[in-house]
Amino acid sequence: MMVNQRQGKGEYIQWRPEESKLLIELVASCFKEGWADPNGKMFKKTVETKILSVLNDKFNSRKTYKNFNNRMKILKNQYRDFVNLLHFDSKVQWNPITKKFTAPDEVWNAYLRDFPNQRHMRNEKYEEYENMKLVFGGMRRLARSHSQPCEVRKNEILKQEVDLTNDDDDDDEVHEIRETETDVFGDSSNYASVKDNDLLAKICTELRSV
């Protein structure tokens, strides 16, 4: 399905199916290769060098970091539709061979009565599902030790990082962009941040023991 994504007033950025497919493949590859931390965050430079540069080169396009963020929001919403379908009834299954969702007719009929705008899901192939599950599956909400630095490739640390699993629907983008002062060369603000986190962790531990 081709989606035209608005880029400013009256202007649209077109994403062809093959572009979206490669996009989610590249993001999943970054996760597998360790370019995202356990919470699903990747640095802006990683997105630009390992995803957008490859995508733009292959399709002779000029997708930007903002285009990436907006497109990932659309893909995440699509993945939520997949999850809703799978949770609707235990008889709904994913077939990794046909790349389709399967269910008895009575289950499909009941689901489509409740969600009539999802009729395409009954017959459509979703070749990107496994990669979308890897990226958006929520398995990166792991507690991170406050005393240990994030195990991300250290040479990729920049001022901005993007959260691929942010669930705050009030944001305009699925990716939560937050300013950091992280510096692998010993920036004092990074030390202060770690120290504050240690203090917070200590307070929480003491409260739980009361």
Side-chain angles (χ1 to χ4, degrees), residues 80-210:
R80 283 176 172 168
D81 290 339
F82 298 158
V83 173
N84 288 338
L85 173 61
L86 288 168
H87 288 175
F88 181 79
D89 192 294
S90 61
K91 294 179 181 178
V92 179
Q93 301 292 326
W94 166 253
N95 188 321
I97 298 176
T98 63
K99 306 296 183 183
K100 292 182 177 182
F101 294 99
T102 63
D105 288 342
E106 61 271 17
V107 174
W108 276 117
N109 293 338
Y111 179 76
L112 295 177
R113 278 197 301 269
D114 292 343
F115 304 96
N117 62 332
Q118 300 295 331
R119 295 187 181 279
H120 58 278
M121 297 182 68
R122 187 168 189 172
N123 298 308
E124 194 164 337
K125 284 186 177 182
Y126 296 101
E127 297 183 359
E128 305 87 359
Y129 173 75
E130 282 94 350
N131 285 327
M132 292 173 75
K133 183 177 181 180
L134 173 64
V135 173
F136 301 123
M139 58 187 180
R140 291 159 301 283
R141 297 300 187 186
L142 304 177
R144 188 189 305 168
S145 171
H146 293 294
S147 61
Q148 296 295 327
C150 173
E151 293 300 325
V152 182
R153 308 278 177 112
K154 302 301 181 183
N155 62 328
E156 287 294 319
I157 293 182
L158 295 178
K159 289 288 186 180
Q160 290 183 325
E161 60 183 7
V162 59
D163 183 356
L164 297 176
T165 60
N166 176 35
D167 288 323
D168 187 357
D169 289 331
D170 292 332
D171 291 342
D172 291 334
E173 299 172 351
V174 64
H175 311 285
E176 177 189 63
I177 301 175
R178 62 183 178 88
E179 295 294 327
T180 68
E181 295 295 333
T182 304
D183 187 342
V184 294
F185 299 107
D187 182 84
S188 59
S189 60
N190 184 47
Y191 170 78
S193 177
V194 172
K195 186 175 181 181
D196 290 343
N197 284 336
D198 285 338
L199 178 60
L200 180 60
K202 183 178 180 180
I203 293 172
C204 291
T205 300
E206 291 177 352
L207 288 174
R208 283 195 295 267
S209 64
V210 174

Side-chain angles (χ1 to χ4, degrees), residues 1-5 13-21 71 74-75 78 81-82 117-128:
M1 182 183 299
M2 185 178 297
V3 176
N4 292 330
Q5 179 176 295
I13 295 298
Q14 187 179 75
W15 284 85
R16 291 177 289 175
E18 55 269 30
E19 289 179 312
S20 290
K21 185 175 185 294
R71 185 57 183 167
I74 293 173
L75 292 174
Q78 185 181 43
D81 290 339
F82 298 158
N117 62 332
Q118 300 295 331
R119 295 187 181 279
H120 58 278
M121 297 182 68
R122 187 168 189 172
N123 298 308
E124 194 164 337
K125 284 186 177 182
Y126 296 101
E127 297 183 359
E128 305 87 359

Side-chain angles (χ1 to χ4, degrees), residues 16 18-20 22 54-61:
R16 291 177 289 175
E18 55 269 30
E19 289 179 312
S20 290
L22 179 60
V54 177
L55 184 76
N56 288 331
D57 183 64
K58 181 174 179 60
F59 295 106
N60 192 27
S61 58

